[in-house]
Amino acid sequence: MSDDHVYLSLAEGHDDSDARWAFGTGFEDPLHGVDTAVPETVDAARLAATCLALGDDALVLAQRLAEWVTRAPELEEEMALANIGLDLLGQARLLYARCGQTDGTGRTEDAYAYFRDTGDFRNVRLAELPNGDFAHSVLRLLMFASWRLAHFTELAGTPDPVLAAIAAKGVKELTYHRQYAAEWVVRLGDGTEESHARMLTALESQAPYWEELFAAEDVRDAVLADLRQVLDAAGLPVPDPAPLPGSGRDGEHTEHLAPLLAELQSVARAHPEATW
Amino acid sequence: MTEAVGRDTEPDLESHFEATIARDQRIEPRDWMPEGYRRTLIRQVAQHAHSEIIGMQPEGEWITKAPSLRRKAILFAKVQDEAGHGLYLYSAAETLGADRADLTQRLLEGRQKYSSIFNYPALSFADVGVIGWFVDGAAICNQVPLCRSSYGPYARAMVRVCKEESFHQRQAYELLMTMMRGTDAQREMVQDAVDRWWWPSLMMFGPPDDDSPNSAQSMAWKIKRHSNDELRRRFVDMTVPQAAKLGVTLPDPELRWNEERGHHDFGTPDFSELKEVISGNGPCNAQRMERRRTAHEEGAWVRAAAGAHAAKQAARAREEAVA
């Protein structure tokens, strides 16, 4: 590398070449060669609803993970949480794009993220809960990633080729997310009295939100068995709480989603005519 | 002959070290080096690492507010890269016998510094672009020569850091290009950010050469390869045409091309402001340190738990081995 050329070439070759920068380096398009037409056997409205719900889950949790930036307990965790947040943000973008192709509106990913209101979001409430301490965050991530991994594994065989490709890519990412979170749940459950107590508090406050994940899926038993294994290794009890009424899937949210979205949408809504 | 093997005297070692530097070859972790060289490097590499970590803060605030998902992903990835730079710079410092936890403690106690630039606030999303253009640009000017630094692990870390920063800079400039093609409000945001960041960016190169106490020895040891003023001038020369292409005005009435010198003439940054910021009195010094300290303190129980778990695991493994 010469001393100068990296900087000197900065002003060159930027016109109308946005696409080159869209996803950073080393990004493989998971939809390369995939036919985006909706197969005749697939109910487009249902497909769109699935993509929207899964996209909202990913966007909202990615936003929570972004809140950890510069606040993580160690640099390695700073890297890992950002990595997971980026994966989920990538999943949200692909899912929104598919939603726009199938719900009849032709909307862009940004239309879904920035120009819908709280009641239009279809994410599970578990994703929108505040980060709390590191115990809360890794427990939420464990449950979310375990469930999403099981669900995506099934979706990888779904008749819509686009959703199947998105899910297949997601499986690789979610396997790591789950592993990362499980390791921390075990460390914190087993570590010190304080970390054990914090894990118990996290379990108690989050467990009522778990049932919502299973409302429409048949992965409940497998996910709970997986969770039990991790909690056993961590020396933590498996809670059996009464599920909360209502569902984020129907647009019923906690009081935490509106402020999250207000922040996420603040700049975009202040400049609705702008391009970024 | 036999008695002398492995028993080089200090003058021998020193002349070997000096000869290695003179031949432009690298000093590696196991090589003998003068204590002053080691100390200077630890200070420089640690301050560089601290700068990467504190430098996540001004831009990091905008990840949750980025106005498109694409910009959100780009910014998220950039800030993550900075954490990565911090990690491998701390590792480079550890090859000199330093310890990351100790260096972090020195930062938190104010005994080691970080780049003055990160004590300025990022007030709008345009700042994300201007920081990437100016601050990453100035960092590249500073660091590309460091890829030839005499200390091997630092030089190699710089190669990777520079490649990634060059990528960040391009993305930032592309954001500014897009904003300048957008609405009037967007163009005003960009110009406002340029006005605020220009002079602090020029100060990133440090005090003028005649007032830079550590420079001469660092240049002699080839830890540093160009003087502060030389790098500052280079930054200005490279940035002026980019500003013109972008359509923004750099806020310096004295800035003009000097045909005779083949360089731009430009005004003198307010170095008394630099001194104030370095002494802890910049707009955001207290806020930046407070965030770093809070994260460190709130993470203490997590690090303790990880340590306790590892110790328990090791004890269990020993018990199993005995059984």
Side-chain angles (χ1 to χ4, degrees), chain B:
Chain B
M1 177 78 189
T2 50
E3 279 157 35
V5 170
R7 295 209 158 259
D8 291 347
T9 60
E10 186 125 323
D12 290 341
L13 291 166
E14 182 136 22
S15 61
H16 180 72
F17 170 85
E18 298 291 351
T20 307
I21 300 274
R23 284 196 307 271
D24 259 338
Q25 286 179 342
R26 296 272 164 78
I27 305 297
E28 295 298 336
R30 287 160 184 277
D31 295 345
W32 184 91
M33 60 189 86
E35 261 323 290
Y37 177 87
R38 185 187 298 275
R39 257 200 322 273
T40 303
L41 264 170
I42 289 179
R43 184 178 61 93
Q44 180 173 336
V45 177
Q47 290 186 1
H48 192 163
H50 299 329
S51 301
E52 296 284 356
I53 301 306
I54 299 291
M56 295 166 69
Q57 289 186 28
E59 289 175 282
E61 284 305 293
W62 289 96
I63 299 172
T64 54
K65 307 178 192 84
S68 77
L69 294 185
R70 177 171 159 261
R71 293 296 174 197
K72 198 182 192 70
I74 288 172
L75 182 58
F76 209 164
K78 181 196 170 178
V79 175
Q80 188 201 26
D81 281 349
E82 287 166 358
H85 296 171
L87 257 182
Y88 43 83
L89 284 162
Y90 283 124
S91 302
E94 288 186 329
T95 66
L96 291 156
D99 169 65
R100 198 213 301 181
D102 173 59
L103 296 175
T104 301
Q105 205 52 45
R106 284 167 191 261
L107 169 70
L108 295 178
E109 289 167 9
R111 289 189 287 146
Q112 279 182 344
K113 302 201 181 297
Y114 55 90
S115 176
S116 59
I117 193 76
F118 301 117
N119 292 314
Y120 290 86
L123 300 179
S124 82
F125 196 72
D127 288 43
V128 167
V130 173
I131 290 172
W133 177 30
F134 285 170
V135 177
D136 286 71
I140 292 166
C141 285
N142 267 328
Q143 291 164 17
V144 167
L146 295 179
C147 299
R148 296 186 288 120
S149 167
S150 59
Y151 188 59
Y154 188 36
R156 288 188 287 274
M158 279 305 100
V159 173
R160 184 163 164 194
V161 169
C162 284
K163 280 185 184 161
E164 293 184 356
E165 280 177 355
S166 154
F167 183 67
H168 299 156
Q169 199 201 19
R170 294 188 72 94
Q171 288 180 318
Y173 193 77
E174 189 262 333
L175 165 63
L176 296 175
M177 281 289 212
T178 306
M179 288 184 72
M180 291 303 286
R181 286 196 298 261
T183 63
D184 288 342
Q186 284 180 296
R187 278 185 285 278
E188 281 165 26
M189 281 165 79
V190 173
Q191 183 62 55
D192 173 61
V194 165
D195 291 345
R196 285 181 288 106
W197 287 94
W198 175 248
W199 291 109
S201 299
L202 288 191
M203 293 183 212
M204 281 179 73
F205 297 94
D209 292 347
D210 52 23
D211 187 25
S212 181
N214 300 315
S215 285
Q217 180 62 73
S218 286
M219 301 259 297
W221 276 333
K222 296 184 185 173
I223 292 173
K224 201 173 158 165
R225 313 286 310 216
H226 302 283
S227 80
N228 294 351
D229 287 334
E230 199 180 335
L231 290 167
R232 190 168 8 248
R233 193 189 63 212
R234 186 181 292 203
F235 172 78
V236 172
D237 283 342
M238 287 196 279
T239 307
V240 169
Q242 292 163 3
K245 170 139 183 158
L246 202 53
V248 296
T249 308
L250 298 173
D252 178 358
E254 295 175 48
L255 184 66
R256 64 181 58 81
W257 177 249
N258 183 324
E259 189 68 54
E260 205 174 305
R261 292 196 310 122
H263 293 292
H264 291 86
D265 291 334
F266 55 98
T268 307
D270 179 0
F271 287 113
S272 64
E273 178 180 315
L274 177 64
K275 280 197 174 133
E276 280 296 299
V277 176
I278 289 177
S279 328
N281 302 318
C284 300
N285 296 56
Q287 180 186 330
R288 302 287 184 245
M289 288 305 290
E290 180 57 27
R291 166 69 64 79
R292 186 72 194 90
R293 194 173 292 119
T294 304
H296 190 71
E297 284 167 6
E298 287 181 354
W301 71 270
V302 178
R303 296 189 297 275
H309 170 68
K312 285 184 190 178
Q313 287 281 80
R316 284 191 283 260
R318 276 196 302 276
E319 274 168 33
E320 272 174 35
V322 171

Side-chain angles (χ1 to χ4, degrees), chain A residues 26-162:
Chain A
F27 185 88
E28 280 177 55
D29 179 4
L31 303 182
H32 178 73
V34 175
D35 183 1
T36 57
V38 180
E40 275 177 25
T41 55
V42 172
D43 176 345
R46 263 193 72 186
L47 171 63
T50 301
C51 290
L52 187 66
L54 292 171
D56 285 347
D57 284 347
L59 177 65
V60 169
L61 188 53
Q63 182 79 355
R64 287 295 185 215
L65 288 161
E67 291 173 9
W68 269 107
V69 169
T70 72
R71 293 176 173 88
E74 191 59 283
L75 269 180
E76 284 79 357
E77 275 42 72
E78 195 73 66
M79 302 280 291
L81 295 172
N83 196 14
I84 294 167
L86 273 164
D87 283 346
L88 291 175
L89 182 55
Q91 291 179 11
R93 297 179 64 190
L94 292 166
L95 287 160
Y96 285 151
R98 188 53 172 162
C99 191
Q101 291 161 357
T102 53
D103 71 358
T105 64
R107 277 178 287 182
T108 64
E109 58 178 34
D110 288 340
Y112 292 104
Y114 295 97
F115 296 98
R116 283 183 305 147
D117 295 326
T118 310
D120 303 326
F121 273 73
R122 290 291 178 267
N123 58 285
V124 290
R125 288 171 294 181
L126 182 68
E128 74 204 31
L129 296 179
N131 282 334
D133 62 12
F134 192 68
H136 276 80
S137 283
V138 293
L139 179 68
R140 183 236 309 265
L141 183 61
L142 173 66
M143 193 57 188
F144 182 85
S146 298
W147 165 76
R148 196 168 169 95
L149 175 59
H151 189 34
F152 271 41
T153 304
E154 295 203 334
L155 284 177
T158 202
D160 178 54
V162 177

